[in-house]
Amino acid sequence: MTDHVRPALRRDLAQLDLTHEASRPGLVMVIGDPPVGHIRVDLLDGFAHLDSIVVGADLGGTNTRALVEAVCERLSARGLGQLTAAPYAGAEAATYADLGFTEIPEGEPVPRPLLGVADQPGRVLVRRVLRAHRTAAELDAWVATLDAPRDVGTVKAVIRRPVPGQREVLHVGHLDVTEGLVGDSWSTRATRHMPDGAPDPDMQLNVMHHGLVQFLAQDPERDELAGDQMYVDLDLSHDNLPAWSELHIGGPDGAVIVVTEVPHNGCGKFIARFGKDAMTFVNGPEGKPRRLRGLCAKVVRPGTVRPGDEVVVVRPPAPPSDHAAE
């Protein structure tokens, strides 16, 4: 039954001399019993990358296509938005094109785990979209309905990133002046913003509008993929929240975070999960002033934060007018 595709069992790995694959993050699927071919997908910091397809006699590429379709279906069910691969330019790349992969345009940011793959000589980086992303027209229609509160908002989700690629949705989060969101990996992430590469204290927290991430994700299980630690129902625009505005969370004795001047623009990961139209939109003339990609903040008073907590805006004093002395 060469049309039978299934996750590889230990005996399959042994028969295919792939026992070493069991320790690598990712998945192996096989076709046939005993297997006559397999496909290997690596999960690189949460991104799916097709490492190899090996098939014996494959008249018309039927088995290869069955393996690719099966693994794409499984990855989509897990909430992943795309599958990348790096075939050699020419005939191999043409085969991948027949399997639904398109070349990633030169100059488009790619997730950091794929940078080494993209730089391999003679290869081209391609992707197959597993979930239709929102289009520019859909985003234009969505933003026309945006009506977020300006003075008192609500925490919708608190998400911790213990290590790159992992997310923990929290019922209660603890904000600390030194650590940011306790248990989050911000404090261990190097950054080019600081001379010594240390974590930038002005980037302790990323805060994003919850309605937009819901719209982009199209599935509650994918909301956390944006990578921000807090999602709120609040107008995050520059007009409403100038730099150094305070957000008081959970009452007068609760945590306080302050909006910093560091922009939050997104990266190749955002494109991989939500599409290039979304990246262009949040950084364009409609999205940039509204901070639709979100904002950077730091903790100035520790405390707990929970979904449902009020977020009260305290704006910095306005600068004195040039005519104040007249």
Side-chain angles (χ1 to χ4, degrees):
M1 293 288 293
T2 56
D3 59 346
H4 177 54
V5 182
R6 55 186 171 78
L9 304 174
R10 289 186 179 275
R11 60 178 172 82
D12 299 316
L13 297 178
Q15 289 173 353
L16 296 168
D17 195 23
L18 296 174
T19 52
H20 59 286
E21 302 284 1
S23 62
R24 290 170 57 190
L27 97 127
V28 179
M29 298 189 75
V30 298
I31 187 165
D33 194 4
V36 297
H38 76 274
I39 185 169
R40 164 76 205 190
V41 173
D42 290 324
L43 292 178
L44 308 173
D45 190 7
F47 296 92
H49 183 75
L50 200 163
D51 175 73
S52 59
I53 308 175
V54 179
V55 180
D58 192 15
L59 184 64
T62 303
N63 290 344
T64 295
R65 186 172 299 278
L67 284 164
V68 170
E69 295 301 327
V71 84
C72 285
E73 182 178 349
R74 182 165 287 261
L75 293 170
S76 181
R78 291 188 181 186
L80 284 97
Q82 70 175 16
L83 172 63
T84 58
Y88 283 102
E92 188 178 16
T95 298
Y96 275 75
D98 289 339
L99 293 168
F101 289 80
T102 58
E103 186 172 351
I104 296 177
E106 186 176 353
E108 180 180 308
V110 298
R112 185 173 300 174
L114 298 179
L115 290 177
V117 175
D119 292 338
Q120 293 178 18
R123 294 182 179 268
V124 293
L125 190 61
V126 300
R127 66 172 161 229
R128 174 163 162 169
V129 174
L130 305 178
R131 180 184 297 265
H133 298 306
R134 296 296 190 184
T135 65
E138 288 174 324
L139 286 158
D140 283 334
W142 176 86
V143 81
T145 68
L146 179 59
D147 184 24
R150 293 178 58 84
D151 299 310
V152 181
T154 308
V155 175
K156 291 295 188 178
V158 181
I159 297 175
R160 179 166 59 196
R161 311 160 306 177
V163 297
Q166 290 187 14
R167 306 283 188 268
E168 294 177 356
V169 180
L170 303 178
H171 296 295
V172 181
H174 299 272
L175 297 183
D176 180 82
V177 173
T178 302
E179 295 185 46
L181 178 61
V182 175
D184 184 71
S185 60
W186 164 80
S187 61
T188 64
R189 295 189 181 203
T191 175
R192 55 184 174 81
H193 294 93
M194 304 298 288
D196 59 355
D200 188 339
D202 285 349
M203 300 175 69
Q204 268 187 340
L205 298 174
N206 296 139
V207 183
M208 187 175 176
H209 186 268
H210 188 241
L212 177 59
V213 77
Q214 282 186 311
F215 183 73
L216 294 176
Q218 306 178 59
D219 181 341
E221 296 296 323
R222 301 184 74 242
D223 288 359
E224 63 197 56
L225 293 180
D228 301 64
Q229 296 107 313
M230 290 181 62
Y231 298 91
V232 298
D233 181 18
L234 182 69
D235 182 346
L236 303 182
S237 68
H238 287 278
D239 285 345
N240 193 51
L241 297 180
W244 313 118
S245 295
E246 294 179 351
L247 302 181
H248 292 239
I249 305 171
D253 298 321
V256 178
I257 67 176
V258 64
V259 178
T260 67
E261 294 179 320
V262 180
H264 185 32
N265 298 324
C267 60
K269 292 181 179 180
F270 194 82
I271 295 176
R273 290 159 176 162
F274 303 123
K276 190 172 183 180
D277 279 357
M279 180 71 149
T280 301
F281 185 79
V282 298
N283 288 316
E286 292 286 351
K288 197 77 168 178
R290 292 179 170 90
R291 286 199 185 102
L292 289 184
R293 178 59 194 96
L295 56 79
C296 292
K298 64 180 179 181
V299 181
V300 294
R301 188 169 76 193
T304 58
V305 290
R306 300 173 175 83
D309 280 350
E310 278 193 345
V311 182
V312 178
V313 176
V314 178
R315 298 175 185 86
S321 169
D322 292 340
H323 302 290
E326 295 180 4

